[in-house]
Amino acid sequence: MVRLWKFLFLALLSITALAACGKTFEDHAKGGIVAATEAFQLQKQHVNEEVQGVSLYKPTGFTIEEKSDAQNIVMKKGNDTFLLFINPNEEKDSRLFYDLLKQTEDEERFVEVFTDDDGYFGFASITKKSEDQVELIASVGGVKMTTITKVNNSEANIGKMMEIVRSIQ
């Protein structure tokens, strides 16, 4: 009897684990777009870091590399590297990075565009690069952050990326 219960418990545990791991790229991408939308709508995060005169929000777990400057800030979180580009010549409603993205064709890409009452223009893009890798882009005006990460990390990372780019004036 104990053996039967043990077998049923292990079978149920295995099914649950497989169901949790069974999210598709599309599921992760849609969740990531929702996270980016929520982060964009937060307006501005509290600034807690400064790099060569650029004030920004740095989430917990992120570190800023020493080789960063005012236009190119390199951040790390675990094994992921994030590149933050700041074009000071672009305004808050700039579509430059979005227009450049639209010129490239990728079959498996999810993009969402954001605007607000203050005139900010932003977007989030999740592009499948391989079975387990995606490229994430979060941008607001002349500020863009990119990374290549695992599909499973896309939802959490794109939300944090949008919080960072949204925090920069």
Side-chain angles (χ1 to χ4, degrees), residues 5-147:
W5 285 108
K6 188 186 287 187
F7 173 77
L8 288 174
F9 175 74
L10 289 175
L12 182 61
L13 184 65
S14 297
I15 291 170
T16 304
L18 287 174
C21 295
K23 283 179 101 175
T24 65
F25 163 71
E26 291 79 14
D27 294 336
H28 285 288
K30 289 176 184 175
I33 294 297
V34 168
T37 303
E38 291 171 356
F40 183 85
Q41 292 171 348
L42 281 175
Q43 301 297 321
K44 297 178 182 118
Q45 284 289 347
H46 296 290
V47 172
N48 61 2
E49 192 72 40
E50 186 171 318
V51 178
Q52 294 189 4
V54 176
S55 298
L56 60 102
Y57 168 70
K58 181 181 69 82
T60 304
F62 282 73
T63 59
I64 297 176
E65 298 290 304
E66 287 187 29
K67 58 186 170 186
S68 300
D69 60 42
Q71 276 95 26
N72 298 296
I73 299 172
V74 180
M75 299 177 109
K76 299 265 301 172
K77 178 184 173 199
N79 293 329
D80 293 330
T81 300
F82 299 82
L83 304 174
L84 179 62
F85 304 103
I86 302 169
N87 185 339
N89 299 320
E90 296 296 322
E91 299 294 324
K92 63 184 179 182
D93 62 347
S94 173
R95 300 174 68 93
L96 173 69
F97 293 128
Y98 180 70
D99 292 340
L100 290 171
L101 178 73
K102 286 180 23 182
Q103 291 177 5
T104 63
E105 292 192 25
D106 286 303
E107 290 181 19
E108 293 193 75
R109 174 185 287 153
F110 286 79
V111 179
E112 185 73 26
V113 172
F114 314 109
T115 57
D116 71 4
D117 295 337
D118 295 330
Y120 282 91
F121 173 83
F123 72 91
S125 169
I126 302 174
T127 306
K128 187 174 186 178
K129 292 296 183 184
S130 69
E131 279 305 310
D132 65 340
Q133 296 269 305
V134 293
E135 177 187 44
L136 306 178
I137 301 173
S139 179
V140 175
V143 180
K144 174 177 91 165
M145 188 171 215
T146 65
T147 191

Side-chain angles (χ1 to χ4, degrees), residues 152-166:
N152 295 344
N153 298 337
S154 58
E155 294 174 58
N157 284 347
I158 193 96
K160 294 297 181 190
M161 291 166 62
M162 184 58 77
E163 289 176 10
I164 294 167
V165 299
R166 188 75 161 121

